[in-house]
Amino acid sequence: MLNYILKRLGMGVLTVWFIATATFAAMHLVPGNPLANEKATNAVIRANLERQYGLDQPVLTQYVIYMGNMLKGDFGIAFSEENRSVNDIIRETFPVSATLGLLSLLFATAGGVMWGALTAIYRNRWPDYLIMFLVILGISVPSFVFAGLSQFAILHLNKWTGVSLLPVAGWGSFRAMLVPALVLGLSTMAYLTRLMRSTMLDVANTDYIRTAHAKGLSTTRIFLHHQLRNAILPVITVLGPSIAIITTGGFVVESVFAIPGLGRYFVQSVAQLDYTVIMGTTVFFGAFLVLMVIAVDILYGFIDPRIRVEASR
Amino acid sequence: MLYLLWILPLLADHKSRSYLPWLLRLFAALCLLATGVQVWAQTQDQAVDFATQSIQLAMSDEPRSLNSIKAVDAFGIYIVEHIMDGLLRRDANHQLVPAVAERWEMHGTTARFWLRHNALWSDGRPVTAHDFVFAWRTVVDPATASEYASMMYVVKNGEAINSGKMPLAELGVKALDDYTLEVELEKPTGYFLQLMTFIVFFPAREDFYTAQHGRYFADVENMLFNGPFTLTKWVHGAALRLEKNPSYWNRDAVHLNLINIPYITNDSAARFSLFKDGKIAVEDGLVGIVTEQLHGALENRFRIHSHSDGSQFYVEFNLRPQRPTSNLNLRKAMQAVFDSQELVYKVLGIPGYIPGHSLFPVYLQGVKAKFRQEYPVPLPSLDLAQARRYLQKAKQELGVDNIPPLSILADNREINILQTQYLQSLFKRTLDIDLRVDVQSFKQRLDKMHTGSFDLVIAGWGPDYDDPMTFADLFASWNGNNHGLYNSPLYDSYIKTAQDTDDQQIRMDAMSKAQQLLIDEAVILPTYERVISTVQHPQLQGLVFQQTGAQMVLTYARVVE
């Protein structure tokens, strides 16, 4: 098992290195200059700036320097914010995005597993149809629509009740997190519901469930001990990457609700061609994602003994 | 967080082995939690408060820097002007008034400022002439790499020092004593006093600056103020908090005690929602095509205020010899069919926008009155027949039967795309010229503009100081922002004339000739002057909007009952 984990981690490091290199290459191939602005600076000032950011070096030298610093855990100084290191940006904004993301994942998994199980139980009856209709809606409607709509709803709720029930936007209190977390988790919840429903149905048709019924076990016991436990495995598979994706911030939701998370740095850094922030956010996200995938693989072993056997071979 | 305890008994009570009711309980707990949260509704964060003279605001982006020596972005400049004070300041009517300097004198290339003795840093020590000398030297220090160092080139040896050819001490600024500052200029500069309100000319105290080890103004604990407000909180990307500076020399003129900025989002719909919910006192981002919000504001009978933000927009032609647009007659043909009024009133339809007729916006100051009043430009006469004659000549000169398709470069903002579509249909309809639209994201547009990969480009310029020169020198042959490489010895001579004297009559006359030359040679097609619409809380009075420097000034604002 330890051997297996080490092997996976080694592959993971290689993957992250590849991500970093590919991003570095792509970002330097894109036309444009991170120091360029609407107002062009004169040659003297541009040279001074380039020297300060090390852009006067050949690209290959820049790559070697950057990789060296990255190994030391230093992502460099942001181009777009004076005196702000990318490490600081991640350190300050990631906890915000992660808090919001974990809350939304809580909504998503609790909802997804519950609704998915319900649709499986009520297969082809009206609760099934109703929930599946909402699920399709949740998957196909983009989050900025939900974000805007829910903000509109809060605004009118506050106006109607005459008190500030929920904040329209902002960050800092638990009240402010509720709606953004719901909106952020909605599509994951819908996806998990669908996944849960199909695996529940798959499991329901297996021989061991039939056997369980035949030997006279109660429906509740079959449902909880045999069906649910087997069906939840794919959900965990999806959950690993989902954690990495959701906790690193949803740009749209964060911008609509004025949440100071990591999300906007992903989008703005590309628009600004902010080399160090692009690298920092991408590598951080890549490493996190790889780690979550490995964690899920290891977790499998504990949930499903069959996988443990496979892995140790 | 007490209401979380509601869940505990619900979770603890699961003696029965069934999990389904447990799920239901979790759901019930969540419902209860939500109710508890709602009961806990708080009301203290309101847009304005009369008793404490405090207001709440939102910003559309995080300041990139608050260091007066290096900041170049609008949000940084906005905050810095509230927490720092320069030699001069602009009053509520945009007139220059004494700030740290009590009085001043200018003779030719020498300026002398007498500093007031009661101007203090927030640690209680006086602001002295040495603080200005240190700050100005730091701005032109090549190691600082300040983007606005070029503003300091008017000071003697500024450019040479910035290029690393001279030591810092050679900069033409010295402290005659603690409270007298003398500035030696490179040459007579008619707008020098205007520059004193610009943040790169603000002071910095050497001992404090060096003690921050490169983190000067990076965070609240690295800041030293001398302006009307102090910054007491800066959570990057999330919140700022400004409080009245008790040691500010002119503190009696400042009414607001607290400016709280707990929201930073670039989503204008979200900011407008915050305004409607009574959480912020001003929403100043009703810019561009966000007219739904303007309609919403009208419906709600909000107080709408519109002001020019100073920016002038235009279509710039590429005059590189290999481009068809280098042909004067082709440009004149396009000029003769282009109508900025139709563009502004019928196509863009944004209330308040002013159709462009000149490179120089209408608010700029001339000799005695506004520049555009003293030197009016003839309104363009739309003449299709004349345009076709120009086109015929252009085809002969270019030796083609048909003008090849021209590319028009624009970045991906909605207002620019709308303009390219309008121009595309206009030139096709009137002159049978095809325009190929080249939409790029911001940095890529800059890159193509800089390397000259365009025939026409949608461009614009915001002023750095309150003088027509901030626009006029754009098309001088040596200017890095002259993207189309317009190269006219005549134009250059007008600019040099205006730059080499402080006689306002000679300067303005020269710039008016430059204005006319740009029209005669069809170097640009002016499109519009931008206007920003804001909604304000009725209890908030005394807001000032400017075209240069901080767009919104809160120093003179107050909350009324």
Side-chain angles (χ1 to χ4, degrees), chain B residues 507-528:
Chain B
R507 297 184 66 238
M508 298 300 161
D509 281 350
M511 283 192 279
S512 86
K513 286 184 196 146
Q515 167 175 256
Q516 192 55 45
L517 192 62
L518 285 182
I519 297 170
D520 292 344
E521 302 212 317
V523 180
I524 55 168
L525 303 178
T527 46
Y528 59 86

Side-chain angles (χ1 to χ4, degrees), chain B residues 287-299:
Chain B
V287 56
I289 307 210
V290 215
T291 37
E292 313 99 88
Q293 269 111 296
L294 266 181
H295 290 310
L298 286 171
E299 273 168 28

Side-chain angles (χ1 to χ4, degrees), chain B residues 6-65:
Chain B
W6 278 99
I7 315 173
L8 290 179
L10 288 152
L11 294 184
D13 177 34
H14 63 293
K15 283 182 201 107
S16 63
R17 304 270 298 158
S18 159
Y19 282 72
L20 197 59
W22 187 87
L23 274 179
L24 283 172
R25 278 198 192 117
L26 184 74
F27 186 70
L30 278 175
C31 290
L32 249 177
L33 189 108
T35 329
V37 163
Q38 288 182 356
V39 169
W40 187 56
Q42 56 185 42
T43 45
Q44 69 249 38
D45 57 335
Q46 292 306 311
V48 295
D49 187 55
F50 172 70
T52 56
Q53 285 292 315
S54 56
I55 62 171
Q56 224 167 230
L57 297 174
M59 270 170 87
S60 55
D61 210 344
E62 155 92 349
R64 304 265 184 243
S65 167

